[in-house]
Amino acid sequence: MLTKRIIPCLDVKEGRVVKGIQFVELRDAGDSVELARFYDEQGADELVFLDISASHEGRKTMVEVVKAVASELAIPFTVGGGINSLEDMKRILRAGADKVSLNTAAVLRPELITEGANFYGSQCIVVAIDAKYDEEIGTWRVYTHGGRKATERDVISWAKEAVERGAGELLLTSMDADGEKKGFNIALTKAVSEAVSVPVIASGGAGNADHFAEAFLDGKADAALAASIFHYKETSVAEVKESVKQRGVCIR
Amino acid sequence: MIGIIDYGMGNLFSVEKALERLGVEAFISDDHERLRQADGLILPGVGAFKDAMDLLNENGLTKMIHEYVQTGKPFLGICLGMQLLFESSEENGLTNGLSLLPGKVIRFSGVDRKGESYKVPHMGWNKLRFDQDSPLLQGVDEDYVYFVHSFYVDADQSDVVLAEANYDVNVAAVVGKENVFGMQFHPEKSSVMGMQLLRNFTKLTEKGSTADEFYNLSRN
């Protein structure tokens, strides 16, 4: 049986992992390979690297990060952030990443999803959606530019469109839940997961190990992603997996 | 020395690096002569079946691969590379494959026997169940490996299946017949078990390997 996946997310800025400061036992807490190995050994099923570099130069170094991780580790990983063209996708995938994640660029030009899927297959193309509930329209609205800009799109119809255009997976972040540490946004996750035929990664809101099982059991997510609770060692991937397993969820 | 066939599709870099970590010399090439001289060949692949076959045909690699397999040297297809070993695929209409193994590649229906829908692609970690003895599986325990695919070979319809995984249907996960092998999952992304399986393949390329012994035993 296919297992549910636990995915730590690492923010990379100018080629260095940031927020990794709690890993005192590491020689270099900013080193992507060391952190990736740390998570791999804990049983992480996949990793997501999010490039938050502001500069063009910074983004170029992402390719080096990808190469280094792919050289050293046998773990699947996705790269997102700053991927705006088929050329960007090629650079990252050729360097050894398994998937690329498109966010703002896909909203601005949805054809990009299809171009990537036609070239590499849907399984390489993740569409990341930042969602925030909007009382006015009574549903979730899609945000772009790192959550700074509201769009006209509603999340469910955009999720469906992204899949129709060739997305092989959705990375769904609840802006309402993000940073609150009160658990994943179950209503949002369930609504999207039931609306599409591809796997959905729940993101935003994980505050403890027990929150993950809810995302799978109630939210119908296929994978769950978290950043800060792993970085700051509030829990570990191993602890999360144990908690999820005890609730009867199939896990590696 | 193991050759990784470069035909413009797939994650060649990760496969090469995985072999390097095993201490096995490997090269990526589209040069027929170089590939012919390799002790073993790997056909990786990510993308669409038809595009891949078109590229193999255009580059004359289809013929080269058939001739290579005739020599008896080990050959391994990974992911789409495994699917290409079979007779045909229904991806984007019916396309003929390399026909090195009997069987056809079909799409996950996305609906189970009870009428409930399930997610396609089959993406993530799934556990292998071993079906037949093989040098590829020697010394390896049944464990989880990483799959990403929307098309599959039905394990119930094939007698070349060495290991399978269940995802609504029984998916052919490791296949093999004589010197031709395939893995539907990504061994280069499958942590410890993936590396063990790759190691077993590379052992087959070593002269006087356990594989020779294995085959002699099974033939006798």
PDB file of all heavy atoms in Angstrom, chain A residues 1 3 45-46 71 74 76 95-96 98-99 120 123 169 193 197-198 222 252, chain B residues 13-14 21 46-47 119-120 122-123 125-126 144 146 148 167 188-189 191:
ATOM      1  N   MET A   1       0.829  -1.209   0.000  1.00  0.00           N
ATOM      2  CA  MET A   1       0.000   0.000   0.000  1.00  0.00           C
ATOM      3  C   MET A   1       0.862   1.258   0.000  1.00  0.00           C
ATOM      4  O   MET A   1       1.917   1.280   0.612  1.00  0.00           O
ATOM      5  CB  MET A   1      -0.883  -0.008   1.239  1.00  0.00           C
ATOM      6  CG  MET A   1      -2.247   0.554   0.969  1.00  0.00           C
ATOM      7  SD  MET A   1      -3.314   0.285   2.384  1.00  0.00           S
ATOM      8  CE  MET A   1      -3.646   1.957   2.870  1.00  0.00           C
ATOM      9  N   THR A   3       2.171   4.726   1.058  1.00  0.00           N
ATOM     10  CA  THR A   3       2.198   5.391   2.362  1.00  0.00           C
ATOM     11  C   THR A   3       1.938   6.889   2.215  1.00  0.00           C
ATOM     12  O   THR A   3       2.145   7.469   1.156  1.00  0.00           O
ATOM     13  CB  THR A   3       3.566   5.212   3.040  1.00  0.00           C
ATOM     14  OG1 THR A   3       4.566   5.840   2.235  1.00  0.00           O
ATOM     15  CG2 THR A   3       3.908   3.746   3.218  1.00  0.00           C
ATOM     16  N   ASP A  45      10.226  11.457   3.872  1.00  0.00           N
ATOM     17  CA  ASP A  45       9.878  10.744   2.645  1.00  0.00           C
ATOM     18  C   ASP A  45      10.265  11.522   1.403  1.00  0.00           C
ATOM     19  O   ASP A  45      10.387  10.952   0.319  1.00  0.00           O
ATOM     20  CB  ASP A  45       8.371  10.471   2.628  1.00  0.00           C
ATOM     21  CG  ASP A  45       7.976   9.555   3.758  1.00  0.00           C
ATOM     22  OD1 ASP A  45       8.539   8.458   3.844  1.00  0.00           O
ATOM     23  OD2 ASP A  45       7.128   9.947   4.581  1.00  0.00           O
ATOM     24  N   GLU A  46      10.406  12.802   1.570  1.00  0.00           N
ATOM     25  CA  GLU A  46      10.698  13.688   0.460  1.00  0.00           C
ATOM     26  C   GLU A  46      11.146  14.995   1.072  1.00  0.00           C
ATOM     27  O   GLU A  46      10.889  15.245   2.253  1.00  0.00           O
ATOM     28  CB  GLU A  46       9.395  13.949  -0.319  1.00  0.00           C
ATOM     29  CG  GLU A  46       9.402  13.501  -1.740  1.00  0.00           C
ATOM     30  CD  GLU A  46       8.048  13.708  -2.415  1.00  0.00           C
ATOM     31  OE1 GLU A  46       7.217  12.802  -2.299  1.00  0.00           O
ATOM     32  OE2 GLU A  46       7.843  14.762  -3.025  1.00  0.00           O
ATOM     33  N   SER A  71      23.660  14.617  -5.707  1.00  0.00           N
ATOM     34  CA  SER A  71      24.894  13.835  -5.751  1.00  0.00           C
ATOM     35  C   SER A  71      25.047  12.973  -4.519  1.00  0.00           C
ATOM     36  O   SER A  71      25.561  11.874  -4.579  1.00  0.00           O
ATOM     37  CB  SER A  71      26.119  14.754  -5.815  1.00  0.00           C
ATOM     38  OG  SER A  71      26.036  15.568  -6.941  1.00  0.00           O
ATOM     39  N   ALA A  74      19.989   9.696  -1.816  1.00  0.00           N
ATOM     40  CA  ALA A  74      18.976   8.980  -2.588  1.00  0.00           C
ATOM     41  C   ALA A  74      17.611   9.283  -1.990  1.00  0.00           C
ATOM     42  O   ALA A  74      16.970   8.440  -1.383  1.00  0.00           O
ATOM     43  CB  ALA A  74      19.261   7.483  -2.568  1.00  0.00           C
ATOM     44  N   PRO A  76      13.932  11.665  -2.851  1.00  0.00           N
ATOM     45  CA  PRO A  76      13.273  12.528  -3.820  1.00  0.00           C
ATOM     46  C   PRO A  76      13.082  13.950  -3.290  1.00  0.00           C
ATOM     47  O   PRO A  76      12.821  14.114  -2.095  1.00  0.00           O
ATOM     48  CB  PRO A  76      11.914  11.860  -4.029  1.00  0.00           C
ATOM     49  CG  PRO A  76      11.752  10.863  -2.956  1.00  0.00           C
ATOM     50  CD  PRO A  76      13.054  10.614  -2.299  1.00  0.00           C
ATOM     51  N   ALA A  95      19.604  19.213 -13.077  1.00  0.00           N
ATOM     52  CA  ALA A  95      20.584  19.206 -11.985  1.00  0.00           C
ATOM     53  C   ALA A  95      20.282  18.090 -10.980  1.00  0.00           C
ATOM     54  O   ALA A  95      21.082  17.844 -10.083  1.00  0.00           O
ATOM     55  CB  ALA A  95      20.613  20.561 -11.292  1.00  0.00           C
ATOM     56  N   GLY A  96      19.131  17.437 -11.135  1.00  0.00           N
ATOM     57  CA  GLY A  96      18.867  16.276 -10.292  1.00  0.00           C
ATOM     58  C   GLY A  96      17.639  16.352  -9.404  1.00  0.00           C
ATOM     59  O   GLY A  96      17.366  15.426  -8.649  1.00  0.00           O
ATOM     60  N   ASP A  98      13.656  16.112  -8.604  1.00  0.00           N
ATOM     61  CA  ASP A  98      12.651  15.218  -9.160  1.00  0.00           C
ATOM     62  C   ASP A  98      11.426  15.967  -9.648  1.00  0.00           C
ATOM     63  O   ASP A  98      10.738  15.523 -10.550  1.00  0.00           O
ATOM     64  CB  ASP A  98      12.245  14.199  -8.098  1.00  0.00           C
ATOM     65  CG  ASP A  98      13.450  13.425  -7.665  1.00  0.00           C
ATOM     66  OD1 ASP A  98      13.783  12.465  -8.346  1.00  0.00           O
ATOM     67  OD2 ASP A  98      14.103  13.829  -6.682  1.00  0.00           O
ATOM     68  N   LYS A  99      11.154  17.076  -8.969  1.00  0.00           N
ATOM     69  CA  LYS A  99       9.979  17.859  -9.341  1.00  0.00           C
ATOM     70  C   LYS A  99      10.289  19.341  -9.188  1.00  0.00           C
ATOM     71  O   LYS A  99      11.140  19.714  -8.389  1.00  0.00           O
ATOM     72  CB  LYS A  99       8.791  17.529  -8.419  1.00  0.00           C
ATOM     73  CG  LYS A  99       8.413  16.075  -8.355  1.00  0.00           C
ATOM     74  CD  LYS A  99       7.284  15.861  -7.360  1.00  0.00           C
ATOM     75  CE  LYS A  99       7.539  14.686  -6.472  1.00  0.00           C
ATOM     76  NZ  LYS A  99       6.549  14.485  -5.423  1.00  0.00           N
ATOM     77  N   TYR A 120       8.313  17.136 -19.524  1.00  0.00           N
ATOM     78  CA  TYR A 120       8.846  16.218 -18.510  1.00  0.00           C
ATOM     79  C   TYR A 120       7.827  15.229 -17.968  1.00  0.00           C
ATOM     80  O   TYR A 120       8.185  14.325 -17.205  1.00  0.00           O
ATOM     81  CB  TYR A 120       9.435  17.012 -17.343  1.00  0.00           C
ATOM     82  CG  TYR A 120      10.801  17.575 -17.638  1.00  0.00           C
ATOM     83  CD1 TYR A 120      10.989  18.921 -17.904  1.00  0.00           C
ATOM     84  CD2 TYR A 120      11.909  16.741 -17.665  1.00  0.00           C
ATOM     85  CE1 TYR A 120      12.248  19.427 -18.181  1.00  0.00           C
ATOM     86  CE2 TYR A 120      13.171  17.234 -17.938  1.00  0.00           C
ATOM     87  CZ  TYR A 120      13.337  18.573 -18.200  1.00  0.00           C
ATOM     88  OH  TYR A 120      14.581  19.063 -18.475  1.00  0.00           O
ATOM     89  N   GLN A 123       4.248  14.163 -13.690  1.00  0.00           N
ATOM     90  CA  GLN A 123       4.786  13.775 -12.375  1.00  0.00           C
ATOM     91  C   GLN A 123       5.900  14.696 -11.901  1.00  0.00           C
ATOM     92  O   GLN A 123       6.238  14.695 -10.721  1.00  0.00           O
ATOM     93  CB  GLN A 123       5.250  12.315 -12.402  1.00  0.00           C
ATOM     94  CG  GLN A 123       6.562  12.042 -13.102  1.00  0.00           C
ATOM     95  CD  GLN A 123       6.440  12.110 -14.615  1.00  0.00           C
ATOM     96  OE1 GLN A 123       5.356  12.050 -15.176  1.00  0.00           O
ATOM     97  NE2 GLN A 123       7.572  12.251 -15.284  1.00  0.00           N
ATOM     98  N   GLU A 169       0.729  17.142  -9.075  1.00  0.00           N
ATOM     99  CA  GLU A 169       0.597  17.203  -7.625  1.00  0.00           C
ATOM    100  C   GLU A 169       0.325  18.656  -7.237  1.00  0.00           C
ATOM    101  O   GLU A 169       0.732  19.565  -7.942  1.00  0.00           O
ATOM    102  CB  GLU A 169       1.915  16.729  -6.992  1.00  0.00           C
ATOM    103  CG  GLU A 169       1.871  16.543  -5.493  1.00  0.00           C
ATOM    104  CD  GLU A 169       3.120  15.840  -4.966  1.00  0.00           C
ATOM    105  OE1 GLU A 169       4.221  16.112  -5.484  1.00  0.00           O
ATOM    106  OE2 GLU A 169       2.986  15.023  -4.050  1.00  0.00           O
ATOM    107  N   SER A 193      -8.494  18.257  -1.959  1.00  0.00           N
ATOM    108  CA  SER A 193      -8.138  16.855  -2.220  1.00  0.00           C
ATOM    109  C   SER A 193      -9.291  16.109  -2.891  1.00  0.00           C
ATOM    110  O   SER A 193      -9.076  15.271  -3.767  1.00  0.00           O
ATOM    111  CB  SER A 193      -7.737  16.164  -0.920  1.00  0.00           C
ATOM    112  OG  SER A 193      -7.144  14.928  -1.213  1.00  0.00           O
ATOM    113  N   SER A 197      -7.801  14.867  -8.922  1.00  0.00           N
ATOM    114  CA  SER A 197      -7.443  13.448  -9.037  1.00  0.00           C
ATOM    115  C   SER A 197      -5.970  13.191  -8.739  1.00  0.00           C
ATOM    116  O   SER A 197      -5.507  12.070  -8.817  1.00  0.00           O
ATOM    117  CB  SER A 197      -7.757  12.983 -10.451  1.00  0.00           C
ATOM    118  OG  SER A 197      -7.057  13.811 -11.373  1.00  0.00           O
ATOM    119  N   VAL A 198      -5.218  14.252  -8.436  1.00  0.00           N
ATOM    120  CA  VAL A 198      -3.775  14.080  -8.188  1.00  0.00           C
ATOM    121  C   VAL A 198      -3.485  14.236  -6.689  1.00  0.00           C
ATOM    122  O   VAL A 198      -4.316  14.768  -5.945  1.00  0.00           O
ATOM    123  CB  VAL A 198      -2.937  15.101  -9.000  1.00  0.00           C
ATOM    124  CG1 VAL A 198      -3.216  14.974 -10.491  1.00  0.00           C
ATOM    125  CG2 VAL A 198      -3.174  16.530  -8.520  1.00  0.00           C
ATOM    126  N   ASP A 222      -2.440  13.584   0.847  1.00  0.00           N
ATOM    127  CA  ASP A 222      -1.563  12.471   0.509  1.00  0.00           C
ATOM    128  C   ASP A 222      -0.195  12.646   1.136  1.00  0.00           C
ATOM    129  O   ASP A 222       0.567  11.701   1.272  1.00  0.00           O
ATOM    130  CB  ASP A 222      -1.430  12.393  -1.019  1.00  0.00           C
ATOM    131  CG  ASP A 222      -2.782  12.174  -1.657  1.00  0.00           C
ATOM    132  OD1 ASP A 222      -3.238  11.030  -1.672  1.00  0.00           O
ATOM    133  OD2 ASP A 222      -3.416  13.172  -2.084  1.00  0.00           O
ATOM    134  N   ARG A 252       5.769   4.864   6.021  1.00  0.00           N
ATOM    135  CA  ARG A 252       7.006   4.103   5.803  1.00  0.00           C
ATOM    136  C   ARG A 252       7.798   3.992   7.099  1.00  0.00           C
ATOM    137  O   ARG A 252       7.920   4.957   7.830  1.00  0.00           O
ATOM    138  CB  ARG A 252       7.839   4.815   4.729  1.00  0.00           C
ATOM    139  CG  ARG A 252       9.133   4.132   4.369  1.00  0.00           C
ATOM    140  CD  ARG A 252       9.716   4.787   3.141  1.00  0.00           C
ATOM    141  NE  ARG A 252      10.188   6.133   3.430  1.00  0.00           N
ATOM    142  CZ  ARG A 252      11.490   6.487   3.490  1.00  0.00           C
ATOM    143  NH1 ARG A 252      12.418   5.591   3.298  1.00  0.00           N
ATOM    144  NH2 ARG A 252      11.827   7.729   3.731  1.00  0.00           N
TER     145      ARG A 252
ATOM    146  N   PHE B  13      21.469  12.431 -14.204  1.00  0.00           N
ATOM    147  CA  PHE B  13      22.451  12.874 -13.223  1.00  0.00           C
ATOM    148  C   PHE B  13      22.340  12.066 -11.927  1.00  0.00           C
ATOM    149  O   PHE B  13      23.333  11.572 -11.404  1.00  0.00           O
ATOM    150  CB  PHE B  13      22.242  14.366 -12.949  1.00  0.00           C
ATOM    151  CG  PHE B  13      23.221  14.958 -11.981  1.00  0.00           C
ATOM    152  CD1 PHE B  13      24.503  15.293 -12.392  1.00  0.00           C
ATOM    153  CD2 PHE B  13      22.858  15.182 -10.664  1.00  0.00           C
ATOM    154  CE1 PHE B  13      25.404  15.850 -11.498  1.00  0.00           C
ATOM    155  CE2 PHE B  13      23.759  15.734  -9.752  1.00  0.00           C
ATOM    156  CZ  PHE B  13      25.040  16.075 -10.180  1.00  0.00           C
ATOM    157  N   SER B  14      21.115  11.908 -11.424  1.00  0.00           N
ATOM    158  CA  SER B  14      20.922  11.206 -10.155  1.00  0.00           C
ATOM    159  C   SER B  14      21.338   9.743 -10.251  1.00  0.00           C
ATOM    160  O   SER B  14      21.887   9.184  -9.306  1.00  0.00           O
ATOM    161  CB  SER B  14      19.456  11.271  -9.722  1.00  0.00           C
ATOM    162  OG  SER B  14      19.068  12.604  -9.557  1.00  0.00           O
ATOM    163  N   ARG B  21      28.302   6.704  -5.921  1.00  0.00           N
ATOM    164  CA  ARG B  21      28.318   6.456  -4.474  1.00  0.00           C
ATOM    165  C   ARG B  21      28.562   4.985  -4.157  1.00  0.00           C
ATOM    166  O   ARG B  21      29.073   4.645  -3.110  1.00  0.00           O
ATOM    167  CB  ARG B  21      26.997   6.919  -3.844  1.00  0.00           C
ATOM    168  CG  ARG B  21      26.843   8.417  -3.775  1.00  0.00           C
ATOM    169  CD  ARG B  21      25.781   8.813  -2.751  1.00  0.00           C
ATOM    170  NE  ARG B  21      24.456   8.311  -3.068  1.00  0.00           N
ATOM    171  CZ  ARG B  21      23.618   8.904  -3.922  1.00  0.00           C
ATOM    172  NH1 ARG B  21      23.947  10.013  -4.529  1.00  0.00           N
ATOM    173  NH2 ARG B  21      22.431   8.384  -4.144  1.00  0.00           N
ATOM    174  N   VAL B  46      12.142   9.663 -17.917  1.00  0.00           N
ATOM    175  CA  VAL B  46      11.035  10.367 -17.287  1.00  0.00           C
ATOM    176  C   VAL B  46      10.341  11.063 -18.431  1.00  0.00           C
ATOM    177  O   VAL B  46      11.003  11.620 -19.302  1.00  0.00           O
ATOM    178  CB  VAL B  46      11.554  11.400 -16.270  1.00  0.00           C
ATOM    179  CG1 VAL B  46      10.447  12.348 -15.861  1.00  0.00           C
ATOM    180  CG2 VAL B  46      12.144  10.727 -15.046  1.00  0.00           C
ATOM    181  N   GLY B  47       9.025  10.993 -18.479  1.00  0.00           N
ATOM    182  CA  GLY B  47       8.325  11.677 -19.552  1.00  0.00           C
ATOM    183  C   GLY B  47       7.367  10.740 -20.251  1.00  0.00           C
ATOM    184  O   GLY B  47       6.905   9.764 -19.664  1.00  0.00           O
ATOM    185  N   LYS B 119      -5.951   8.398  -6.403  1.00  0.00           N
ATOM    186  CA  LYS B 119      -5.082   9.384  -7.027  1.00  0.00           C
ATOM    187  C   LYS B 119      -4.134   8.771  -8.056  1.00  0.00           C
ATOM    188  O   LYS B 119      -3.553   7.719  -7.848  1.00  0.00           O
ATOM    189  CB  LYS B 119      -4.239  10.095  -5.946  1.00  0.00           C
ATOM    190  CG  LYS B 119      -5.049  10.812  -4.860  1.00  0.00           C
ATOM    191  CD  LYS B 119      -5.789  12.009  -5.405  1.00  0.00           C
ATOM    192  CE  LYS B 119      -6.686  12.682  -4.393  1.00  0.00           C
ATOM    193  NZ  LYS B 119      -6.037  13.620  -3.510  1.00  0.00           N
ATOM    194  N   VAL B 120      -4.016   9.447  -9.176  1.00  0.00           N
ATOM    195  CA  VAL B 120      -3.049   9.110 -10.212  1.00  0.00           C
ATOM    196  C   VAL B 120      -2.311  10.414 -10.526  1.00  0.00           C
ATOM    197  O   VAL B 120      -2.977  11.423 -10.727  1.00  0.00           O
ATOM    198  CB  VAL B 120      -3.753   8.585 -11.491  1.00  0.00           C
ATOM    199  CG1 VAL B 120      -2.724   8.265 -12.565  1.00  0.00           C
ATOM    200  CG2 VAL B 120      -4.608   7.378 -11.173  1.00  0.00           C
ATOM    201  N   HIS B 122       0.551   7.377  -9.294  1.00  0.00           N
ATOM    202  CA  HIS B 122       0.966   6.583  -8.133  1.00  0.00           C
ATOM    203  C   HIS B 122       2.281   7.197  -7.693  1.00  0.00           C
ATOM    204  O   HIS B 122       3.310   7.010  -8.330  1.00  0.00           O
ATOM    205  CB  HIS B 122       1.159   5.128  -8.608  1.00  0.00           C
ATOM    206  CG  HIS B 122       1.753   4.206  -7.583  1.00  0.00           C
ATOM    207  ND1 HIS B 122       2.642   3.212  -7.925  1.00  0.00           N
ATOM    208  CD2 HIS B 122       1.583   4.115  -6.247  1.00  0.00           C
ATOM    209  CE1 HIS B 122       2.989   2.537  -6.834  1.00  0.00           C
ATOM    210  NE2 HIS B 122       2.372   3.067  -5.810  1.00  0.00           N
ATOM    211  N   MET B 123       2.195   8.026  -6.650  1.00  0.00           N
ATOM    212  CA  MET B 123       3.365   8.819  -6.274  1.00  0.00           C
ATOM    213  C   MET B 123       3.683   8.633  -4.799  1.00  0.00           C
ATOM    214  O   MET B 123       2.834   8.888  -3.961  1.00  0.00           O
ATOM    215  CB  MET B 123       3.082  10.303  -6.559  1.00  0.00           C
ATOM    216  CG  MET B 123       4.251  11.219  -6.268  1.00  0.00           C
ATOM    217  SD  MET B 123       3.794  12.961  -6.477  1.00  0.00           S
ATOM    218  CE  MET B 123       3.800  13.129  -8.256  1.00  0.00           C
ATOM    219  N   TRP B 125       5.975   6.321  -1.562  1.00  0.00           N
ATOM    220  CA  TRP B 125       6.674   5.105  -1.127  1.00  0.00           C
ATOM    221  C   TRP B 125       5.688   3.957  -1.009  1.00  0.00           C
ATOM    222  O   TRP B 125       4.684   4.064  -0.321  1.00  0.00           O
ATOM    223  CB  TRP B 125       7.347   5.357   0.215  1.00  0.00           C
ATOM    224  CG  TRP B 125       8.404   6.410   0.150  1.00  0.00           C
ATOM    225  CD1 TRP B 125       8.228   7.759   0.202  1.00  0.00           C
ATOM    226  CD2 TRP B 125       9.813   6.198  -0.006  1.00  0.00           C
ATOM    227  NE1 TRP B 125       9.445   8.394   0.091  1.00  0.00           N
ATOM    228  CE2 TRP B 125      10.431   7.465  -0.035  1.00  0.00           C
ATOM    229  CE3 TRP B 125      10.621   5.057  -0.123  1.00  0.00           C
ATOM    230  CZ2 TRP B 125      11.808   7.635  -0.161  1.00  0.00           C
ATOM    231  CZ3 TRP B 125      11.994   5.228  -0.241  1.00  0.00           C
ATOM    232  CH2 TRP B 125      12.582   6.500  -0.270  1.00  0.00           C
ATOM    233  N   ASN B 126       6.011   2.860  -1.675  1.00  0.00           N
ATOM    234  CA  ASN B 126       5.162   1.678  -1.601  1.00  0.00           C
ATOM    235  C   ASN B 126       6.049   0.462  -1.365  1.00  0.00           C
ATOM    236  O   ASN B 126       7.221   0.448  -1.743  1.00  0.00           O
ATOM    237  CB  ASN B 126       4.366   1.526  -2.904  1.00  0.00           C
ATOM    238  CG  ASN B 126       3.082   0.739  -2.701  1.00  0.00           C
ATOM    239  OD1 ASN B 126       2.993  -0.102  -1.801  1.00  0.00           O
ATOM    240  ND2 ASN B 126       2.093   1.002  -3.538  1.00  0.00           N
ATOM    241  N   TYR B 144      10.211  -0.511   1.386  1.00  0.00           N
ATOM    242  CA  TYR B 144       9.574   0.557   0.611  1.00  0.00           C
ATOM    243  C   TYR B 144      10.528   1.177  -0.417  1.00  0.00           C
ATOM    244  O   TYR B 144      11.704   1.368  -0.138  1.00  0.00           O
ATOM    245  CB  TYR B 144       9.091   1.657   1.548  1.00  0.00           C
ATOM    246  CG  TYR B 144       7.910   1.247   2.387  1.00  0.00           C
ATOM    247  CD1 TYR B 144       8.078   0.768   3.681  1.00  0.00           C
ATOM    248  CD2 TYR B 144       6.618   1.328   1.875  1.00  0.00           C
ATOM    249  CE1 TYR B 144       6.992   0.386   4.455  1.00  0.00           C
ATOM    250  CE2 TYR B 144       5.523   0.952   2.630  1.00  0.00           C
ATOM    251  CZ  TYR B 144       5.715   0.485   3.925  1.00  0.00           C
ATOM    252  OH  TYR B 144       4.632   0.106   4.669  1.00  0.00           O
ATOM    253  N   TYR B 146      10.473   4.269  -3.873  1.00  0.00           N
ATOM    254  CA  TYR B 146       9.779   5.483  -4.319  1.00  0.00           C
ATOM    255  C   TYR B 146       9.292   5.384  -5.769  1.00  0.00           C
ATOM    256  O   TYR B 146      10.090   5.274  -6.693  1.00  0.00           O
ATOM    257  CB  TYR B 146      10.703   6.693  -4.159  1.00  0.00           C
ATOM    258  CG  TYR B 146      10.005   7.999  -4.413  1.00  0.00           C
ATOM    259  CD1 TYR B 146       9.170   8.554  -3.463  1.00  0.00           C
ATOM    260  CD2 TYR B 146      10.175   8.677  -5.615  1.00  0.00           C
ATOM    261  CE1 TYR B 146       8.506   9.749  -3.693  1.00  0.00           C
ATOM    262  CE2 TYR B 146       9.521   9.883  -5.850  1.00  0.00           C
ATOM    263  CZ  TYR B 146       8.690  10.403  -4.885  1.00  0.00           C
ATOM    264  OH  TYR B 146       8.042  11.582  -5.111  1.00  0.00           O
ATOM    265  N   VAL B 148       6.879   7.009  -8.957  1.00  0.00           N
ATOM    266  CA  VAL B 148       6.159   8.143  -9.547  1.00  0.00           C
ATOM    267  C   VAL B 148       5.778   7.744 -10.967  1.00  0.00           C
ATOM    268  O   VAL B 148       6.620   7.769 -11.860  1.00  0.00           O
ATOM    269  CB  VAL B 148       7.020   9.420  -9.667  1.00  0.00           C
ATOM    270  CG1 VAL B 148       6.149  10.594 -10.088  1.00  0.00           C
ATOM    271  CG2 VAL B 148       7.740   9.750  -8.398  1.00  0.00           C
ATOM    272  N   TYR B 167      -1.200  -1.079  -5.723  1.00  0.00           N
ATOM    273  CA  TYR B 167      -1.834   0.236  -5.739  1.00  0.00           C
ATOM    274  C   TYR B 167      -3.131   0.065  -6.515  1.00  0.00           C
ATOM    275  O   TYR B 167      -3.154   0.230  -7.727  1.00  0.00           O
ATOM    276  CB  TYR B 167      -0.914   1.278  -6.395  1.00  0.00           C
ATOM    277  CG  TYR B 167      -1.433   2.700  -6.235  1.00  0.00           C
ATOM    278  CD1 TYR B 167      -1.601   3.262  -4.977  1.00  0.00           C
ATOM    279  CD2 TYR B 167      -1.752   3.469  -7.346  1.00  0.00           C
ATOM    280  CE1 TYR B 167      -2.080   4.550  -4.823  1.00  0.00           C
ATOM    281  CE2 TYR B 167      -2.225   4.772  -7.203  1.00  0.00           C
ATOM    282  CZ  TYR B 167      -2.389   5.304  -5.942  1.00  0.00           C
ATOM    283  OH  TYR B 167      -2.860   6.588  -5.789  1.00  0.00           O
ATOM    284  N   GLU B 188      17.402   5.065  -7.559  1.00  0.00           N
ATOM    285  CA  GLU B 188      18.341   6.135  -7.194  1.00  0.00           C
ATOM    286  C   GLU B 188      17.725   7.134  -6.224  1.00  0.00           C
ATOM    287  O   GLU B 188      18.412   8.016  -5.720  1.00  0.00           O
ATOM    288  CB  GLU B 188      18.861   6.835  -8.467  1.00  0.00           C
ATOM    289  CG  GLU B 188      17.902   7.826  -9.129  1.00  0.00           C
ATOM    290  CD  GLU B 188      16.818   7.179  -9.996  1.00  0.00           C
ATOM    291  OE1 GLU B 188      16.639   5.950  -9.939  1.00  0.00           O
ATOM    292  OE2 GLU B 188      16.140   7.935 -10.721  1.00  0.00           O
ATOM    293  N   LYS B 189      16.405   6.988  -5.977  1.00  0.00           N
ATOM    294  CA  LYS B 189      15.725   7.880  -5.034  1.00  0.00           C
ATOM    295  C   LYS B 189      15.093   7.079  -3.905  1.00  0.00           C
ATOM    296  O   LYS B 189      14.271   7.597  -3.166  1.00  0.00           O
ATOM    297  CB  LYS B 189      14.621   8.661  -5.763  1.00  0.00           C
ATOM    298  CG  LYS B 189      15.150   9.633  -6.798  1.00  0.00           C
ATOM    299  CD  LYS B 189      15.814  10.833  -6.157  1.00  0.00           C
ATOM    300  CE  LYS B 189      16.384  11.761  -7.206  1.00  0.00           C
ATOM    301  NZ  LYS B 189      16.987  12.956  -6.581  1.00  0.00           N
ATOM    302  N   SER B 191      16.406   5.507  -1.203  1.00  0.00           N
ATOM    303  CA  SER B 191      17.148   5.341   0.034  1.00  0.00           C
ATOM    304  C   SER B 191      17.957   4.037   0.049  1.00  0.00           C
ATOM    305  O   SER B 191      18.501   3.649  -0.984  1.00  0.00           O
ATOM    306  CB  SER B 191      16.161   5.429   1.206  1.00  0.00           C
ATOM    307  OG  SER B 191      16.820   5.787   2.374  1.00  0.00           O
TER     308      SER B 191
END
